[in-house]
Amino acid sequence: GAVVSQHPSWVICKSGTSVKIECRSLDFQATTMFWYRQFPKQSLMLMATSNEGSKATYEQGVEKDKFLINHASLTLSTLTVTSAHPEDSSFYICSAPDSSAYEQYFGPGTRLTVT
Amino acid sequence: AQSVTQLDSQVPVFEEAPVELRCNYSSSVSVYLFWYVQYPNQGLQLLLKYLSGSTLVKGINGFEAEFNKSQTSFHLRKPSVHISDTAEYFCAVIKTGGNKLTFGTGTQLKVEL
C-alpha cells in the first residue's frame, strides 16, 4: 500500500521559535495533502488542505500566518509552526489521498512539545 | 455538512469476547464511510471502508462493519478480540465527490485478560 512519512517524529522547541514538519508521499504523487491536529485523547481536527502549486486552504479558526504550509512538490508538503507557544504543543498528522481521492493514507504523526 | 457520532468513548472488553463499536452519521448528501485504528503515538490505519455495494464490509484484523442507511449507522464489530486490538478507533465519513474526512470523537477499545 501507499506510504506517507513524516519528519521529525517528535520535536521539542522553545517558545518563540519556529518548527518545520515534513510530510512525504513515498511511492505515489499527491497533489493534495491534509494536515490535522490531535490533542490528547481527542479526535483529529483538520487544519488545512495543502495544494501543490497553489496556496493552502485553511479551516475556519486556523491562523494561516502561524501555520505556514508549503506544498513544494508532488511528494512533499511542509507545515511550519511559527513563533511556537506551549499551546501549540500537539500531535500533528498529515495524510494524502489515493488516486480515487476517497481513501487517505496517514503519516505516523509528529509530536510537538513547546517549552 | 457532515457529522459523526461515536457514543462510546471507552469500551472495555475481555479477550476473546465479541465487541461492537458504534458509529452514527448525519449528512444531507451521500457519503462514504470509514473506520480507522490508531495505536499510541502513531498515525491512522484504515480498517475498512464502505463505498457502495454490499452493506457488510470486511476489513483487516478480523473486523467487519455494516452500513445501515435507514439508521445512518456504520457499526464496527469483531467476534473475538485480542489484546493487540487495544487502540483508539475512529469512524469517519467523506461526502461523495468531496475529499475531506470528518471524524468522530473516537472510541478507546481496551481489551483485558
Side-chain angles (χ1 to χ4, degrees):
Chain A
V3 178
V4 174
S5 70
Q6 280 184 244
H7 178 79
S9 56
W10 60 271
V11 58
I12 301 173
C13 71
K14 292 186 176 181
S15 185
T17 62
S18 295
V19 175
K20 180 184 286 188
I21 303 170
E22 293 184 348
C23 176
R24 294 182 184 273
S25 57
L26 296 186
D27 49 2
F28 67 105
Q29 294 182 334
T31 56
T32 300
M33 291 183 176
F34 299 94
W35 286 96
Y36 298 84
R37 185 174 181 176
Q38 185 180 31
F39 290 105
K41 300 188 183 301
Q42 294 189 27
S43 188
L44 281 74
M45 298 300 297
L46 180 64
M47 298 175 64
T49 303
S50 175
N51 304 298
E52 191 269 337
S54 64
K55 293 182 179 180
T57 306
Y58 291 82
E59 296 300 303
Q60 191 173 7
V62 177
E63 299 176 61
K64 62 180 181 180
D65 294 330
K66 181 170 187 59
F67 298 100
L68 300 179
I69 291 173
N70 182 32
H71 202 131
S73 72
L74 288 172
T75 59
L76 174 64
S77 174
T78 59
L79 168 67
T80 301
V81 183
T82 62
S83 186
H85 288 93
E87 56 266 31
D88 298 324
S89 298
S90 190
F91 195 53
Y92 293 88
I93 303 175
C94 70
S95 72
D98 69 354
S99 56
S100 74
Y102 298 131
E103 182 169 342
Q104 292 190 21
Y105 300 100
F106 286 81
T110 297
R111 174 75 59 193
L112 170 63
T113 302
V114 185
T115 61
Chain B
Q2 297 77 45
S3 67
V4 179
T5 301
Q6 292 180 248
L7 290 173
D8 305 306
S9 59
Q10 292 186 11
V11 173
V13 62
F14 288 109
E15 192 174 34
E16 297 184 4
V19 70
E20 177 180 84
L21 306 184
R22 295 180 294 169
C23 172
N24 288 86
Y25 69 94
S26 175
S27 177
S28 58
V29 299
S30 296
V31 295
Y32 297 139
L33 299 114
F34 304 82
W35 274 99
Y36 287 90
V37 60
Q38 183 181 33
Y39 298 100
N41 294 310
Q42 295 186 28
L44 275 66
Q45 180 182 7
L46 180 67
L47 278 177
L48 48 78
K49 61 187 176 186
Y50 174 78
L51 302 183
S52 65
S54 174
T55 57
L56 182 63
V57 180
K58 294 189 183 297
I60 63 172
N61 301 341
F63 284 94
E64 63 180 33
E66 186 156 19
F67 170 58
N68 188 318
K69 188 174 182 179
S70 63
Q71 297 187 7
T72 61
S73 68
F74 190 54
H75 301 331
L76 181 71
R77 303 185 184 98
K78 186 170 183 178
S80 177
V81 295
H82 300 284
I83 289 288
S84 59
D85 292 324
T86 295
E88 189 83 17
Y89 292 80
F90 292 98
C91 181
V93 301
I94 189 169
K95 69 176 183 180
T96 55
N99 64 355
K100 293 183 182 179
L101 280 167
T102 299
F103 286 92
T105 50
T107 297
Q108 174 69 41
L109 174 64
K110 186 173 182 181
V111 181
E112 303 168 347
L113 292 172

